[in-house]
Amino acid sequence: MPHTPPLPEGRRVTLRPFTLADGPEFTARARESKDLHRPWLFPPDSDEAYADYAGRLIEDPARTGFLVCEKDGGGIAGFININNIVRGGFQCGALGYGAFAHAAGRGLMREGLELVVGYAFGPLGLHRLEINVQPGNTASIALARGAGFRLEGFSPAMIHVAGAWRDHERWALTAEMRAAG
């Protein structure tokens, strides 16, 4: 079995990989957070949907997922996934994330995102991370901007969300940009 580097910890949050055992807490938090997530995000809110979702993150080498957990009590505050990981000359991945309602606005996801970015550019060896955000999703844009991502462009009808092709802003961060501060 390959060596897996330990996941980083922050002052208030820790990261841990998805497990199938997290399904009941994750889906309960997703159901509680529908008003926060809609119309931008649709995390799994049933046992079957969670098993499929987490299974892909666990098994697919082109994806890795992290649960952002509060140090105080260990509850799941949110999640951050690196999707579409491409190796070779590209060394890139696309981030997707969501806070749960009980944790929103408390800075926990900002801390979690900083940990994931450091892990991606460190042990995972990626060079570039991208975030694609629907233009009206101000909370997600603020999180990307606050983590040092730069706006690189606009793509009409880029990603299929909630039954329609949605426009997205493209945000990116490279290892060199992060090192430069």
Side-chain angles (χ1 to χ4, degrees):
M1 175 172 245
H3 170 70
T4 303
L7 293 176
E9 291 190 14
R11 188 173 61 81
R12 298 183 303 149
V13 302
T14 62
L15 301 178
R16 63 183 174 84
F18 277 76
T19 69
L20 294 179
D22 292 308
E25 181 182 0
F26 188 99
T27 57
R29 295 290 188 197
R31 288 189 299 273
E32 293 166 1
S33 303
K34 281 188 179 184
D35 289 343
L36 174 67
H37 293 154
R38 302 298 188 262
W40 321 113
L41 186 63
F42 298 83
D45 61 2
S46 71
D47 292 339
E48 182 179 312
Y50 177 83
D52 183 52
Y53 177 79
R56 287 190 310 268
L57 290 167
I58 293 166
E59 299 296 328
D60 185 346
R63 302 173 193 233
T64 189
F66 304 94
L67 296 172
V68 178
C69 300
E70 293 186 70
K71 277 187 164 180
D72 183 21
I76 301 171
F79 56 95
I80 303 171
N81 304 326
I82 307 175
N83 301 299
N84 307 323
I85 296 171
V86 179
R87 295 296 185 175
F90 207 43
Q91 297 298 333
C92 181
L95 293 178
Y97 48 77
F100 290 126
H102 76 284
R106 295 175 41 209
L108 300 173
M109 289 301 291
R110 183 172 302 266
E111 185 176 331
L113 183 57
E114 285 293 323
L115 295 173
V116 169
V117 168
Y119 191 78
F121 290 152
L124 288 183
L126 297 180
H127 173 258
R128 177 183 171 88
L129 292 171
E130 299 175 356
I131 298 172
N132 297 299
V133 182
Q134 291 180 59
N137 190 343
T138 56
S140 187
I141 290 169
L143 186 59
R145 183 180 287 121
F149 285 72
R150 71 175 173 220
L151 179 61
E152 290 193 334
F154 177 82
S155 295
M158 181 181 186
I159 301 174
H160 198 261
V161 178
W165 290 100
R166 309 288 179 182
D167 299 343
H168 281 74
E169 293 180 2
R170 296 184 325 276
W171 293 77
L173 180 68
T174 64
E176 292 85 1
M177 288 168 56
R178 187 165 196 257

